[in-house]
Amino acid sequence: MNKAVQDYLSKNIIAELGLENVPPKRMEEILLAFGEIIQGRINIRVLDELSETDKDEFDKLLGSETKPETLDAFLKSKIPDLDNLVGQVIADTKQELVEKAKILGA
Amino acid sequence: MEQNPLDPLERFKAISPAEYKAEREGAAKPPAPDLDLGKENAAVETPKTRTPEEEQKLQSQRGGYTSDISRRGEMEKEGKEWRVTDKGFETLVPKAKEEMERDLASRKTEEVVEAEAGKEVLDEELKNAYFEWQDLERKAKKSFADQHDSLWDAALAAKEKYHQLLIEKSGVTEKGKPFYLPEEMAPEGGPQKYNLERLEKVVAMELDLQKEYEKRASTESKEAPGIFKKLWHNYSKIPKSTRIALGVGIATGAFIFTGGAAGLWAVGAYGGAKLARSLVGGFVAGWAYKGLDKFVAPFVDRAAKKNIEKIKQEQAEILNDIRISGVQKELLFAKENMIREYARIARQKQRINIEKALIAGALGVGASFLAEPTYEYLSEKFSGGGAVSPESFGRGVPPAGSEVAGVPPIAGKTAEALADKYSKTISQGGNLWKATRGIAERMGMSNPDFNDAWRDSYVYIPEKEGVFHISEVDLVHPGAKVIYDPDSKIFMVEGERMGTARDLYDALVREGKPIPHRLEEMFGQKPSVVGAAEIPVETSPVRPFDQLPVEAPESPKAPTFTELEAGYPGADAEKFISERLASINVDSDYYEQIKNSKVKDLLKIRKGTFWDLFQHLNDETAGRVDIYSEWKLASLVKAELKNLLPFVEDKTIDEALKIAAQNRNLIK
């Protein structure tokens, strides 16, 4: 994982956007949306990395009562660089949100 | 919608009463369509005469029906099945149709609303730009070296185009970007709210675009079209608190996922992990968004660290797949109240003078926090009387119990010299009124005597050059001593210059000091000076905090614009302003931070309830907002730019000051 990614991973964008004092209820909503954005991006990126055969297998695993740990092991066997990929997605998303917020003066 | 041939409602919709009747009558044979159960060939059963016992049994079996026809005649039995009669058809079918129409109409309305809502958020052009960017970026990420650079260039160009479009669509210009003010600085709803709402829109739009993009990706994925749905299903099973915590952890960078954590997220199943249940699920979510600005504050002392270490050990076993570093690591485990406690101490050390100045100055009547145990720390030093000039605080506050420099006792009495039996110390949650009542009861003082003593108790406040009734100024705080002076028959507060109004008047005359307006009215001498702002006399110690008075701006000792003008005859606005700011002790760095906020927002600081001010002083402002500077600046604008206010209200502070500097002939 390169330094730029690590920097963004550890960056506090709540502080950077000046949101420390946002009322908890509204902060909750922002954080939930934020988590969903990340989840959506990870979904796309992870599936991008799988071959069609692997996707089928993954789909079957998801459809059964497979334990998360098993799913995790499956993905890691197919995407050896999974940690970096997830880290990259998170860092990119944080960066983009900050950029966008700043562009719009939010 | 696909029609169900067996659905009676669909049948009702498709057929008119006349057709139905004809169908029934015309078919000698025919078993009319069984609308209830859809069995088309139910046998016709000839009605027969039953004995009373049979009728009773039948009634019991049929829940009240005593024959083969329902009470209202809408249903009858044919063979083994129940069906709608002619009468039933006339009454039930229109109702059913009406219901169906209503249902259809409401479904359509919902679809329209959804579509319109989507349209509002997702402009087609914007969506396409977003898709183009995402597509190119995905390709770039998967590309091989030979085309890597060109793809990335294209992706960056697409991103730039998308951002440009975003700006155009939202109507935001570089010039028009509002300055961010924290909520507590604009308690009536100002820039902060505006910015937050805009950010929420950004996040919501991003989420919508993301989902649209995913929808398209899902359509393209022929082999596993349901895979996204399953991943989201997993995600939706994660408890809400955990999902919030995930957002907190990622947004704040408080922890970085590695190992199993990354994979668990990747499969949308983070909630199943022991980690999520035990750590992320409750602890972080409950804490993080309340005290984020404390992350880097050096508030954690040895005692706090000791507790943190203990908690860290307890949590160590479940931290295998989370990596946390530096200060965040320690603070992650610090309980919120612990952090708050040390924040409070730090703030108390660093900012108490400013806060006191603000309270005393802004309220204009002084402050104590009798009923506010949370803020009792203020009372530790607060004894300088209610109406202390803000200027004096900026230069240091007299220690507890000491006399205000240069102000001799006026009535020749100080409460310290009086006997303890006439005194009472104010307890936590107590107040001056209760204390004086307590003394009166202990002494067996009659109500008329108490009323006289209460009525005659006055205090001289040199900074305001005024005399105030004991009920008008909150001089006391928990721990302060209230005393009854049997000689002058008044109540006094330890450390304050007190007496009857007459005593105070005589002493001022004797010493050749200006006579406050109130005393002049009471005792007949022409006032030589008008005292501090007049405050209505209260007969009971009502706290004056219900509404902040919008008092006349202070008269700064620093030179005014007009006075400074003499030294700056040219148009050197920058220098003029910096000199002016320095003269009222507004730090230039801080000014840089706030100079782009609007004048009208700055002026809001002086309005609002006590609780607005209270918020200014709470933990959230510690070290971040210089209330004192903003207050000084607001006073300056109100007093010296008075003539220009209609023109500059919507300008930024900096623009307003520049206008003022260039039009000094118009300003006060």
Side-chain angles (χ1 to χ4, degrees):
Chain A
M1 205 176 287
N2 67 43
K3 189 174 180 305
V5 171
Q6 283 180 343
D7 285 349
Y8 245 98
L9 281 177
S10 57
K11 185 173 263 187
N12 181 355
I13 64 167
I14 299 290
E16 187 160 343
L17 294 173
L19 297 174
E20 299 96 327
N21 296 318
V22 169
K25 190 70 195 163
R26 296 179 80 174
M27 178 61 92
E28 263 185 35
E29 286 162 10
I30 290 176
L31 291 170
L32 282 171
F34 184 62
E36 277 188 44
I37 291 168
I38 299 248
Q39 182 66 51
R41 290 190 170 204
I42 289 175
N43 289 350
I44 290 174
R45 285 288 290 123
V46 164
L47 294 179
D48 254 1
E49 295 295 317
L50 295 179
S51 69
E52 296 305 333
T53 318
D54 291 341
K55 269 189 213 170
D56 272 349
E57 201 177 334
F58 187 47
D59 189 27
K60 283 172 194 159
L61 285 173
L62 280 172
S64 58
E65 291 294 313
T66 313
K67 287 181 180 174
E69 289 79 359
T70 312
L71 291 167
D72 176 43
F74 171 82
L75 282 185
K76 281 184 177 158
S77 71
K78 305 296 176 188
I79 313 171
D81 204 21
L82 183 66
D83 291 355
N84 279 342
L85 185 145
V86 171
Q88 181 79 51
V89 170
I90 293 172
D92 286 352
T93 311
K94 287 174 79 169
Q95 188 178 3
E96 279 166 28
L97 276 176
V98 169
E99 274 178 12
K100 214 171 280 188
K102 285 185 175 170
I103 282 174
L104 296 178
Chain B
M1 186 193 294
E2 192 181 325
Q3 288 193 4
N4 176 4
L6 304 181
D7 184 344
L9 289 180
E10 290 301 326
R11 177 78 179 150
F12 288 158
K13 193 186 172 201
I15 193 169
S16 73
E19 287 169 337
Y20 181 69
K21 196 171 178 184
E23 191 179 293
R24 287 194 69 216
E25 287 172 351
K29 44 309 183 195
D34 189 301
L35 296 178
D36 279 336
L37 300 172
K39 292 184 180 176
E40 294 185 357
N41 296 312
V44 176
E45 188 182 336
T46 310
K48 63 174 185 180
T49 309
R50 298 186 183 89
T51 65
E53 290 75 24
E54 283 173 330
E55 281 296 326
Q56 196 172 1
K57 190 179 173 187
L58 197 61
Q59 183 173 359
S60 168
Q61 285 171 349
R62 292 178 180 168
Y65 293 146
T66 54
S67 68
D68 289 343
I69 190 160
S70 68
R71 279 183 193 151
R72 282 186 290 193
E74 290 162 341
M75 304 285 286
E76 65 182 359
K77 192 173 185 188
E78 278 194 11
K80 292 180 180 175
E81 308 298 338
W82 286 85
R83 54 177 293 154
V84 180
T85 63
D86 289 352
K87 184 184 173 191
F89 197 87
E90 297 293 337
T91 55
L92 294 179
V93 171
K95 277 184 193 169
K97 278 186 174 177
E98 197 182 313
E99 235 168 66
M100 284 192 67
E101 295 298 333
R102 262 207 313 269
D103 183 47
L104 279 174
S106 95
R107 276 186 219 169
K108 275 181 192 164
T109 311
E110 280 168 20
E111 280 164 16
V112 170
V113 169
E114 270 175 30
E116 282 176 356
K119 220 182 287 171
E120 187 186 26
V121 178
L122 291 181
D123 179 275
E124 200 61 30
E125 201 182 352
L126 193 66
K127 191 166 88 175
N128 290 337
Y130 179 84
F131 283 10
E132 187 187 348
W133 162 37
Q134 291 290 315
D135 284 346
L136 284 166
E137 198 167 288
R138 280 169 72 192
K139 275 184 198 165
K141 281 173 182 166
K142 293 174 74 177
S143 64
F144 296 105
D146 57 334
Q147 49 176 202
H148 190 75
D149 288 348
S150 60
L151 275 173
W152 269 115
D153 286 346
L156 284 173
K159 180 181 177 182
E160 187 62 32
K161 182 182 158 193
Y162 165 68
H163 279 171
Q164 200 54 44
L165 206 56
L166 193 66
I167 293 168
E168 283 170 26
K169 297 284 176 188
S170 63
V172 174
T173 61
E174 190 70 27
K175 199 179 172 188
K177 279 185 198 173
F179 175 76
Y180 177 89
L181 266 184
E183 188 175 36
E184 62 268 49
M185 297 313 297
E188 292 169 10
Q192 198 273 346
K193 186 165 178 272
Y194 180 59
N195 281 269
L196 176 59
E197 280 171 0
R198 190 174 279 181
L199 182 76
E200 284 173 339
K201 275 186 186 167
V202 169
V203 172
M205 188 173 66
E206 184 66 30
L207 192 56
D208 287 341
L209 283 167
Q210 176 77 36
K211 284 182 175 166
E212 285 287 312
Y213 189 69
E214 192 177 294
K215 212 182 281 176
R216 200 191 64 171
S218 175
T219 315
E220 287 168 357
S221 177
K222 291 169 190 164
E223 288 74 11
I227 202 163
F228 283 108
K229 202 175 171 185
K230 286 172 189 166
L231 283 167
W232 278 114
H233 179 67
N234 272 357
Y235 185 76
S236 69
K237 285 194 295 189
I238 302 175
K240 188 180 173 189
S241 61
T242 308
R243 279 183 278 140
I244 292 170
L246 289 170
V248 171
I250 295 300
T252 61
F255 43 79
I256 299 167
F257 293 92
T258 61
L264 289 169
W265 197 328
V267 297
Y270 204 80
K274 65 175 181 178
L275 186 64
R277 282 196 305 272
S278 55
L279 175 69
V280 184
F283 183 71
V284 178
W287 155 78
Y289 59 75
K290 289 182 182 169
L292 295 174
D293 61 336
K294 315 293 191 308
F295 270 152
V296 291
F299 293 147
V300 183
D301 77 351
R302 203 170 13 166
K305 279 180 181 164
K306 196 175 168 188
N307 284 326
I308 290 165
E309 284 302 322
K310 191 179 166 194
I311 301 168
K312 261 160 66 176
Q313 283 171 10
E314 290 169 4
Q315 300 284 345
E317 287 181 6
I318 55 173
L319 278 174
N320 294 332
D321 48 1
I322 278 189
R323 181 156 52 84
I324 307 158
S325 61
V327 175
Q328 292 166 354
K329 185 175 183 180
E330 292 180 342
L331 289 173
L332 178 62
F333 298 102
K335 286 179 181 173
E336 182 190 342
N337 58 358
M338 193 189 299
I339 294 174
R340 282 184 178 278
E341 177 65 14
Y342 287 98
R344 185 180 73 75
I345 293 166
R347 187 185 58 256
Q348 185 180 345
K349 284 177 185 166
Q350 294 165 10
R351 300 178 61 82
I352 189 165
N353 290 346
I354 290 174
E355 291 172 353
K356 285 168 69 176
L358 182 75
I359 296 166
L363 295 179
V365 290
S368 73
F369 290 81
L370 303 179
E372 313 303 338
T374 314
Y375 285 84
E376 64 184 282
Y377 66 91
L378 283 172
S379 70
E380 290 176 22
K381 293 182 183 174
F382 198 99
S383 70
V388 180
S389 160
E391 304 293 333
S392 68
F393 281 107
R395 298 172 190 136
V397 180
S402 74
E403 292 182 3
V404 178
V407 182
I410 292 199
K413 291 231 180 242
T414 60
E416 289 86 335
L418 299 170
D420 278 353
K421 66 177 182 175
Y422 298 118
S423 69
K424 185 167 174 59
T425 301
I426 292 183
S427 58
Q428 190 70 49
N431 60 33
L432 184 61
W433 174 260
K434 285 181 188 168
T436 52
R437 285 302 306 168
I439 293 170
E441 281 169 21
R442 196 187 301 157
M443 291 173 59
M445 189 186 285
S446 67
N447 280 339
D449 286 346
F450 173 81
N451 290 341
D452 288 346
W454 179 259
R455 186 196 60 217
D456 292 340
S457 300
Y458 282 80
V459 58
Y460 176 72
I461 298 178
E463 289 78 5
K464 301 284 273 187
E465 293 182 324
V467 169
F468 300 92
H469 187 255
I470 193 171
S471 66
E472 296 170 345
V473 283
D474 278 339
L475 298 168
V476 291
H477 49 78
K481 193 183 276 185
V482 181
I483 298 155
Y484 176 72
D485 173 17
D487 295 336
S488 48
K489 295 186 171 51
I490 59 164
F491 291 107
M492 305 175 95
V493 178
E494 193 172 49
E496 301 299 337
R497 309 283 77 77
M498 299 190 72
T500 63
R502 182 77 221 187
D503 289 342
L504 294 169
Y505 174 79
D506 290 345
L508 289 171
V509 170
R510 197 167 54 244
E511 293 167 19
K513 289 188 175 297
I515 307 299
H517 183 66
R518 173 182 288 174
L519 292 187
E520 168 55 30
E521 279 187 341
M522 289 168 81
F523 303 112
Q525 183 172 317
K526 187 181 177 184
S528 56
V529 66
V530 177
E534 283 296 310
I535 300 166
V537 176
E538 299 289 340
T539 52
S540 63
V542 177
R543 294 176 61 218
F545 296 145
D546 295 328
Q547 190 73 28
L548 277 181
V550 182
E551 83 276 31
E554 60 172 334
S555 302
K557 290 173 186 170
T560 65
F561 269 124
T562 313
E563 287 163 352
L564 277 178
E565 188 183 8
Y568 296 93
D572 188 353
E574 294 286 356
K575 191 178 177 195
F576 181 84
I577 292 169
S578 65
E579 292 281 339
R580 184 71 188 92
L581 294 175
S583 71
I584 58 169
N585 298 320
V586 172
D587 180 66
S588 58
D589 286 344
Y590 193 72
Y591 180 71
E592 281 300 310
Q593 285 181 45
I594 62 167
K595 69 178 187 181
N596 291 325
S597 59
K598 292 276 175 66
V599 167
K600 64 181 177 188
D601 294 316
L602 179 75
L603 296 181
K604 281 180 186 171
I605 295 166
R606 306 304 308 279
K607 296 176 184 173
T609 64
F610 168 71
W611 293 106
D612 295 333
L613 183 62
F614 183 90
Q615 282 197 334
H616 284 269
L617 302 177
N618 72 13
D619 289 348
E620 308 302 327
T621 68
R624 194 165 52 78
V625 176
D626 188 342
I627 301 163
Y628 183 61
S629 285
E630 302 214 9
W631 176 67
K632 294 287 291 185
L633 210 46
S635 297
L636 180 148
V637 168
K638 278 176 92 173
E640 297 186 36
L641 274 63
K642 195 176 174 185
N643 296 341
L644 294 176
L645 267 186
F647 305 104
V648 301
E649 262 188 353
D650 284 313
K651 306 280 182 194
T652 66
I653 297 171
D654 200 44
E655 286 168 344
L657 291 187
K658 280 177 182 162
I659 289 171
Q662 287 158 4
N663 297 280
R664 289 170 230 164
N665 58 316
L666 297 177
I667 62 178
K668 181 183 170 186

